[in-house]
Amino acid sequence: MDEQVRSIPRPLVRTNQWVIVLSVLVTWLTHQEWFLLIPLISGLCGLLFQFNPIMRFAKLFLRRNPKEYIPEEWGQQQFNQKIAVICLALGFIGFLLGWNIVGYIFTILVALAAFIAILGFCIGCFLHYQWKQYKYRRSNS
């Protein structure tokens, strides 16, 4: 029964969130949608290969052992990353096709969610919890 929970140190999660927020802001300021590819490709790599280049780079700057930091649950972060990747991809495609309203809607959503998470409330975690509750109630009825 010595099952170990997979986790990610909070500073790495925060770095990823800041990269999302800053990439969106730079995209808006420069009108260059290519900046969205930084967190988008990194997020895809994390989901597909369990290797997030942003987090891997940030890990080089940790001053303590990664296990000494507040842990973020890995499965929850994967769920959040899926939402972020979808919003970044739809925002990027929207801007690329000249559908600026679509681009702004999805980049506002992902930047706002990442920034609110930095401040301490995880919207993705709330959605994930509600989804699990819905599935549980549905299975019991």
Side-chain angles (χ1 to χ4, degrees), residues 82-119:
K82 288 174 190 172
I83 295 170
V85 163
I86 290 168
C87 288
L88 287 165
L90 292 172
F92 176 73
I93 292 167
F95 285 133
L96 196 62
L97 296 175
W99 301 343
N100 290 338
I101 293 174
V102 171
Y104 280 111
I105 288 171
F106 285 103
T107 56
I108 287 169
L109 286 174
V110 72
L112 198 55
F115 189 69
I116 291 170
I118 290 166
L119 295 176

Side-chain angles (χ1 to χ4, degrees), residues 27-92:
T27 296
W28 293 343
L29 293 172
T30 64
H31 303 287
Q32 297 295 315
E33 65 274 356
W34 306 104
F35 286 106
L36 294 176
L37 291 179
I38 296 167
L40 176 57
I41 291 171
S42 182
L44 279 172
C45 287
L47 291 172
L48 298 174
F49 309 115
Q50 281 71 52
F51 176 84
N52 183 313
I54 292 168
M55 289 188 189
R56 184 60 58 104
F57 181 70
K59 191 175 184 179
L60 299 173
F61 298 95
L62 292 179
R63 293 185 178 166
R64 299 180 294 194
N65 182 320
K67 295 196 182 298
E68 293 178 30
Y69 291 96
I70 295 172
E72 297 281 350
E73 202 267 317
W74 184 84
Q76 179 62 60
Q77 293 308 313
Q78 289 293 96
F79 179 81
N80 295 343
Q81 193 66 52
K82 288 174 190 172
I83 295 170
V85 163
I86 290 168
C87 288
L88 287 165
L90 292 172
F92 176 73

Side-chain angles (χ1 to χ4, degrees), residues 127-141:
L127 293 173
H128 191 245
Y129 175 77
Q130 294 302 321
W131 176 248
K132 286 189 169 260
Q133 287 293 311
Y134 169 76
K135 285 175 41 178
Y136 174 77
R137 285 191 299 270
R138 191 168 172 213
S139 70
N140 286 339
S141 59

Side-chain angles (χ1 to χ4, degrees), residues 5-24:
V5 176
R6 192 169 177 191
S7 65
I8 303 168
R10 182 172 286 170
L12 303 183
V13 174
R14 290 286 192 264
T15 301
N16 192 55
Q17 292 164 337
W18 273 114
V19 168
I20 291 170
V21 170
L22 294 174
S23 296
V24 169

